[in-house]
Amino acid sequence: MAPAASTRDITGKDTTPETSRSSFATIADMSERDLVARIQRRLPPAPPWMLLGIGDDAAVIEPERNRAEVLSVDALVEGVHFDTSFVPPDAIGHRALAVNLSDLAAMGATPRLALLSLVLPAALAVDAFDAMVGGLLRLASAHATHVAGGNLTRSPGPLLLDITVAGHVKRRQAMTRGGARPGDEIYVSGTVGSAGAGLQMLEAASPLAVSDAAGPCVRRYLYPEPRVRLGMLLSRNRAASACIDLSDGLSDGLYRLAEASGVGMAIDPRALPIEPAARAWFAARGIHPVAASLAAGDDYELLFTVRPRTGRRLAAAIRHGGTALTRIGVCTADRAMVLKGAPGEPGGDQELPRVGYGHFQ
C-alpha cells in the first residue's frame, strides 16, 4: 500500500496523522518540539524525587538521603562505535544506555536517572529515531532509570548519542579500581570474548550471525546486559575489594585494576569463561580463543577482586546476582602481570599481553 499523501494546513504545517507520516518522514521533517514530544509520550510518570523533568530548561532532582551521587557520561558515535549497516536502531539506543549503566554497576551504584543528548543527521528516518528511543527506554525501564531531560540537535555528519547517567550508593560502599591487595582473588562475571566474536560475525555478514548457534555472541554485541544487580549486591555486601567493567577488553581491565591498586596479577588462561560459540568462531579462523578473548571489547562484564576471607559475602552475591562468576586468578605483591602456563607445557608462564580497544588508535 502506498503511503498516505501529506496534507498541510493554511500555515503550511504538516497535518498528516503521525502514524501515517512517520513511515516515510525524516528528522528534517520534524521540529525539535516534535521529537521531544515523541520521547515524552513514551515516558512513565515521573517519580516523586523528580521535581521537574522534561519540559523546562533543566531538570530539578531531590537528592537521595544519606547517599553519595554517582555520575557517568559516555558517547556512541556512528562509524566509530557502531555500524548502521548491521546494528538495528533499537540496538543503538540499547547500547548507548547500557554502556553508561555498566559504569554505575562497576561502582556498585543504583541507577536513578539519565540525560540524553542526541545529535541527529537530517536524513535519519523518524521510524529509526522511534526505534532507537524505544530500545533505550526499554532498558531504562528494566533498571528503573528515569529520563530527566537532555538535548536534541541536528548533525551534518554522523549520528551521535551522548548520555549522562546518575545513581546513588552509600558513601562507604562505593567500589573503586584501587582497593585490591596481594592475595585477593580475581573474578569475572558471565563470559568474555562473546561480543567480539559477535561483531566479527556481523562484519563478515556470516550466515552464522543469524543462526541459533551464534545467537549468544551476536546478541551480546547488539544488546549488552549491564550487570547492575550484581554490582549493587557486591557493593551492599562489601564483597569486592576493587571493580571495573569490561568495555575495552579483559586484558585492558586487568591492567587498569592492577595499576590502580598497585598489585600484580597471575591469570589462569584455562579458567577464562569463553562462550563456546565464540571459542569455535575464533578457532575456525586460526585465532587462539584466549588471545582473542583477552583483546575483545564490548562485553560489559564486571571484573573484580575479593579478599579470601570474604567468601560468605561473595556467596550472597552469587546467589542473588543473576549471573555466573568465575575465578580467573590472584593478585600478587610482585607487580608483574603473568599469564600462567600449564604445568609441564612448553613455554611456561608469560607476560600478560596488553591488548584491547584503543579509542584514539
Side-chain angles (χ1 to χ4, degrees):
M1 180 181 293
S6 175
T7 59
R8 297 184 181 273
D9 64 16
I10 193 169
T11 67
K13 181 179 179 181
D14 191 348
T15 59
T16 308
E18 184 177 287
T19 54
S20 297
R21 71 172 185 262
S22 65
S23 61
F24 58 88
T26 66
I27 295 299
D29 298 314
M30 297 282 170
S31 68
E32 180 181 1
R33 183 176 298 178
D34 292 333
L35 295 174
V36 171
R38 295 180 82 89
I39 298 174
Q40 197 166 11
R41 283 193 295 270
R42 302 170 71 173
L43 298 179
W49 49 262
M50 189 182 294
L51 307 183
L52 274 178
I54 290 181
D56 220 303
D57 289 323
V60 179
I61 306 298
E62 187 173 25
E64 184 76 10
R65 191 173 182 180
N66 299 321
R67 296 291 189 275
E69 294 292 320
V70 182
L71 307 174
S72 183
V73 62
D74 220 324
L76 265 64
V77 182
E78 180 185 357
V80 177
H81 301 102
F82 61 89
D83 187 330
T84 56
S85 68
F86 56 74
V87 180
D90 70 315
I92 295 172
H94 178 107
R95 286 170 55 80
L97 182 59
V99 302
N100 283 277
L101 292 180
S102 186
D103 286 335
L104 294 187
M107 306 297 292
T110 301
R112 203 173 189 216
L113 65 89
L115 296 171
L116 316 180
S117 183
L118 307 181
V119 184
L120 309 170
L124 179 70
V126 172
D127 285 349
F129 171 83
D130 287 342
M132 184 174 69
V133 170
L136 188 152
L137 293 182
R138 280 191 294 274
L139 185 63
S141 176
H143 294 286
T145 303
H146 298 270
V147 175
N151 178 63
L152 298 175
T153 190
R154 186 180 296 190
S155 167
L159 171 64
L160 186 151
L161 299 85
D162 192 19
I163 298 181
T164 298
V165 290
H168 57 80
V169 67
K170 286 186 177 180
R171 184 183 299 271
R172 295 183 180 179
Q173 292 181 2
M175 298 186 294
T176 71
R177 301 175 182 182
R181 298 176 185 170
D184 286 4
E185 297 174 329
I186 304 166
Y187 285 82
V188 68
S189 66
T191 61
V192 294
S194 303
L199 174 59
Q200 288 184 15
M201 293 172 188
L202 290 166
E203 288 178 330
S206 168
L208 186 61
V210 295
S211 71
D212 291 340
C217 296
V218 170
R219 182 159 186 84
R220 173 64 66 81
Y221 175 73
L222 293 178
Y223 304 98
E225 183 56 46
R227 302 300 187 185
V228 173
R229 179 166 177 76
L230 175 61
M232 290 164 55
L233 288 169
L234 291 173
S235 166
R236 291 173 183 176
N237 289 295
R238 299 187 181 182
S241 53
C243 188
I244 189 173
D245 78 313
L246 297 180
S247 56
D248 298 328
L250 176 59
S251 173
D252 177 82
L254 289 166
Y255 270 96
R256 289 179 186 271
L257 270 189
E259 290 167 353
S261 297
V263 297
M265 292 182 171
I267 304 301
D268 181 359
R270 298 172 298 282
L272 299 188
I274 303 172
E275 170 68 41
R279 187 182 293 275
W281 172 266
F282 294 133
R285 278 144 191 82
I287 307 170
H288 198 291
V290 169
S293 298
L294 286 170
D298 291 320
D299 280 324
Y300 298 103
E301 297 290 355
L302 294 185
L303 174 70
F304 59 96
T305 56
V306 177
R307 304 267 194 270
R309 66 176 183 273
T310 57
R312 289 185 179 179
R313 298 178 188 175
L314 179 61
I318 292 174
R319 282 197 303 273
H320 304 291
T323 185
L325 304 179
T326 304
R327 183 188 182 280
I328 62 170
V330 65
C331 298
T332 61
D334 182 346
R335 297 288 294 272
M337 300 293 287
V338 177
L339 200 60
K340 301 294 289 183
E345 286 188 0
D349 297 350
Q350 58 181 295
E351 182 180 2
L352 176 71
R354 185 155 197 169
V355 290
Y357 177 76
H359 292 268
F360 297 98
Q361 297 174 353

